[in-house]
Amino acid sequence: MIVPQSRKERERESRRKEILASARSVFSEKGYSRATLEEIAQRAEFGKGTLYNYFVGGKEELLFTVIEQMYDEVHTLITDHFESAGADQPMRPVLRALIFKILSYYENHQDTFMILVKEVQRLLINGDEKAAYFIKQRNRLIEALEAPLSQAIQSGQLRPLPPRAVANMFLGNVHGCQMHVFLDQEHGQVDNACRADKNAEFLTTMLLDGLLVSQPVAEESTQ
Amino acid sequence: MIVPQSRKERERESRRKEILASARSVFSEKGYSRATLEEIAQRAEFGKGTLYNYFVGGKEELLFTVIEQMYDEVHTLITDHFESAGADQPMRPVLRALIFKILSYYENHQDTFMILVKEVQRLLINGDEKAAYFIKQRNRLIEALEAPLSQAIQSGQLRPLPPRAVANMFLGNVHGCQMHVFLDQEHGQVDNACRADKNAEFLTTMLLDGLLVSQPVAEESTQ
DNA sequence: TTAGAAAGTGACTGGTCAGTCAGATTTTGA
DNA sequence: TCAAAATCTGACTGACCAGTCACTTTCTAA
């Protein structure tokens, strides 16, 4: 958080960032195991050895740093959104706008999304100490969502379901929707913002109103 | 589909299955790239060379065969369910039961679920010819869901949203819910069936009724 | 019983790549 | 200006492992 002082330090920081950007792009294209340090170094215009001056932990530290960055970015997106929205707002426009922001973020950072899909899920589920760290990171995200959702549930705006589960599902749905965009991409290059907007509308309706057409009078209330 | 005739053929088939089961367990524990043929062979109680008598394509053919099996199993689960339910049933109990079945299946085949999470997503998104094959497999699953959902939409039971997107989201939510179970597994060994049932109820409510508490009279219908 | 076929095997090969380090290059500051 | 420090570099090493194949073991049927 402290701005580096000297020109030297600023330059070092900037080279570090270049390496990270290069790593992000290679990891997103190849996936962790097929990515090579050689290629990361090449794209960043350094020799392989130089990477170790910046990331002593080698390949793994590179991946972890990239993932940490990504989580920070999405976390900021979410907390900023709820901060600027203020408390006790009607949830529909607030959530719709958030969905739109996250979808747009993924559209504009497809590399980030790729790494999330290809690597994070694998890491999350691996059961070792490293997994624990990423579960914590992920939980930070979930909690940033959970708090406002929980409030909305208490104020009676949202249905009384477990807020943590709702937060998980919310994030999972946005994620899943973006995945769907990747897989069904025969829609010849629709404008990104337009597509994100349509998907945000779809998701908002599905999540807030549900699939069932509301029945004013329940015919069969058995079970 | 044809039952092998001779004892010899039956034995060969049974050994093939043992190798596949072993591959499934190793892939689910280690992930594709960290799994070794040596270990697969060991668990199946064969030498490494023998694997090539059964799977000429080596490691990759093993993975692909395993994934194909998994898709077949889930596909059967879905189609059988809708077949036995019959058409024009009320959707709530039908979908709730399906969610329960899929969640239970994943509970009882955690290895399958692991491979889905660790490998399939990575393969789906990779853009090469192999990805295309798995996208087709996945689409078979989606389509098995899409047809009944589409019918329910046309009959006015479900909200008129694009049925394909709904099918995608439906499957994604079941999947996401199971993921959630894995990640928040500090609930000391709750009975599987019970947990699956609770989660099925939660998902059914969230998907069918939505998060928003229905407002008979909208106070502020602005925007 | 046995010869030939079929099935099984694991030491070996070749390729890959993360990580190292001795030396080259650049920067610094006196 | 130049020596020492800092930085960069890529050839090299060792570990790993998929895939091969010459050999062994087991089966079959005459």
Side-chain angles (χ1 to χ4, degrees), chain B residues 63-209:
Chain B
L63 178 68
F64 286 7
T65 312
V66 163
I67 293 177
E68 216 172 303
Q69 265 192 346
M70 289 172 11
Y71 270 119
D72 281 349
E73 286 166 20
V74 181
H75 187 263
T76 304
L77 205 69
I78 294 173
T79 48
D80 282 6
H81 181 76
F82 282 113
E83 237 167 64
S84 75
D88 288 323
Q89 293 295 307
M91 275 290 115
R92 176 180 287 272
V94 171
L95 290 182
R96 190 190 187 291
L98 179 60
I99 292 170
F100 179 75
K101 274 185 193 168
I102 301 179
L103 285 178
S104 303
Y105 173 83
Y106 284 147
E107 285 279 358
N108 298 323
H109 298 78
Q110 301 207 352
D111 52 355
T112 303
F113 186 73
M114 295 285 195
I115 295 173
L116 266 169
V117 169
K118 286 188 189 170
E119 305 309 327
V120 177
Q121 299 241 356
R122 179 177 60 80
L123 283 170
L124 278 176
I125 224 169
N126 256 357
D128 50 17
E129 342 78 57
K130 285 149 196 171
Y133 176 68
F134 286 111
I135 289 178
K136 247 184 228 160
Q137 292 275 324
R138 193 194 135 87
N139 280 346
R140 261 178 63 226
L141 231 58
I142 296 294
E143 278 148 25
L145 270 169
E146 193 181 349
L149 287 174
S150 182
Q151 236 178 1
I153 289 169
Q154 265 158 32
S155 79
Q157 250 199 97
L158 297 186
R159 203 177 289 282
L161 294 166
R164 184 178 198 79
V166 173
N168 258 297
M169 288 295 112
F170 181 87
L171 209 62
N173 273 288
V174 178
H175 200 106
C177 186
Q178 187 60 24
M179 187 73 186
H180 179 183
V181 167
F182 270 104
L183 296 186
D184 286 6
Q185 62 198 181
E186 73 268 29
H187 333 153
Q189 203 59 17
V190 189
D191 173 42
N192 283 353
C194 162
R195 177 164 60 200
D197 192 71
K198 272 187 190 155
N199 283 330
E201 183 56 37
F202 166 75
L203 265 183
T204 310
T205 304
M206 210 188 80
L207 288 174
L208 295 186
D209 304 323

Side-chain angles (χ1 to χ4, degrees), chain B residues 14-27:
Chain B
S14 128
R15 278 186 226 114
R16 206 182 122 94
K17 275 187 189 146
E18 270 174 59
I19 293 173
L20 277 178
S22 163
R24 196 187 271 221
S25 103
V26 176
F27 285 143

